[in-house]
Amino acid sequence: MKILVLGGGGREHALVWKLRQSPRVSHLYCAPGNGGIADEAECLAVDLKSLESLTALAARVKPDLTVVGPELPLTLGVVDEFTRRGWPVFGPTKAAAQLESSKSFAKEFLQRHHIPTAHYAICDSMEQVRPALGHFHTPVVVKADGLAAGKGVVIAKSKEEAAGVAAEMLSGRMVGESGARVVLEECLKGDELSFLVLSDGERVTPLVAAQDHKRVGDGDTGPNTGGMGAYSTADIVDDTMRDWLVNHIARPVVAGMKVEGAEFKGVLYCGLMMTARGPMVLEFNTRFGDPETQPILMRLESDLVDALEAAVQGRVSEGDFRWSRDASVCVVMASGGYPGTFEAGKQISGLEEAGKIEGVKVFHAGTSKRDRAYYTAGGRVLGVTARAGQLDAAVSLAYEACGKIGFHGMHYRRDIAARALTK
Ligand code: AMP
Ligand code: GLY
């Protein structure tokens, strides 16, 4: 079959790499793809912000299945449009994607369905923010309602800081339209967990859990990013906890969406905080996580096409995934300045050598390829991913590979999975 993957980051490279292993795939397209994906799939130009462009591309390529990577096309309604035309597509509709595209929708939904989450207040103006802040302790979390690529969340140490951030968001200066509404939230303490499930609108089956590292600096310091690294092991969540998360979070979400007439099909990413009061939902993403997908798919032993198809065709079951007990880790190598402004076009060296290390796969995120050479083309450039029997071995392999790679301004965290190793 012919498969089209939409997107062009590290997550999409991992999807392409895994899909290509399926004997069922005869041709793989990725739009727009990137420098590394171009070695494993046919890359096609597309404007991910334009429904017209996406539709025209699929009309031309006629894929047997389209897999949507990033949130933006979901929010535009690419799944609604393709489904209306009778084209098989993996991902949630625009209405179901609101779980990610609107934090106020997600919070009210969680409250309606009694799913554990932090206390919150939704505000459309500073007149609402000021009195609402009175109900919170500090630190307090200020979030832009809409999509902001990881840049719409600030943990404010004081109420003055929170008010200042809210004012910046509401004015449109900070994250544009996405900040026209803000959500204030109780700050939760604990370990974060990325818990992803596959859903066909009714049934769910979990993927292996992962842990992301959102802050740019070692020891979780500095500003938030899209994710600087992630790891996955068999014991991040034991079977009892996994079942609890399925029964008390994932299943109620999918059931609630169905009741509300917005069936959720695709991957539901539950961003959780494991607090002293139990697991609580921080956020939802309505797609595979980036960079979590890289280490998660490194542990997948069964056919990804079969699983995605089960979701599209409404027959998700326990047996859709078979996982390795190995550990895996992904270290993101970023451009100088990221998550702030950065320059692109720096030549990348050492990729071949890094990729030769047994157990290592270098996924490309923001790269381009010209005359057999690779150049930086984004904030997050590479996701250096390794798999081994034990987490410490996987971490050593990933950093050994990072050591072979170089580009001007490059930076990466040296402590991915370090907390798990000291436990
Ligand atoms: P979000 O986009 O909502 O996941 O927020 C990005 C990051 O901000 C999360 O991964 C957490 O690290 C942090 N965060 C969000 N909400 C909270 C909260 N209520 N308490 C503590 N940290 C939070
Ligand atoms: N790693 C978080 C995300 O995919 O949004």
Side-chain angles (χ1 to χ4, degrees), residues 38 46 51 60 104 140 143 177 195 236 239 304 311 317 392 406:
V46 79
L51 210 48
R60 190 155 54 84
S104 57
V140 55
K143 299 185 174 183
E177 264 302 293
F195 186 69
I236 294 188
D239 293 355
L304 182 58
S317 70
D392 54 356

Side-chain angles (χ1 to χ4, degrees), residues 354-373:
K356 274 189 197 142
I357 301 171
E358 173 83 22
V360 169
K361 172 72 188 174
V362 180
F363 293 115
H364 289 230
T367 71
S368 62
K369 188 179 183 187
R370 244 183 3 256
D371 304 329
R372 313 238 291 296

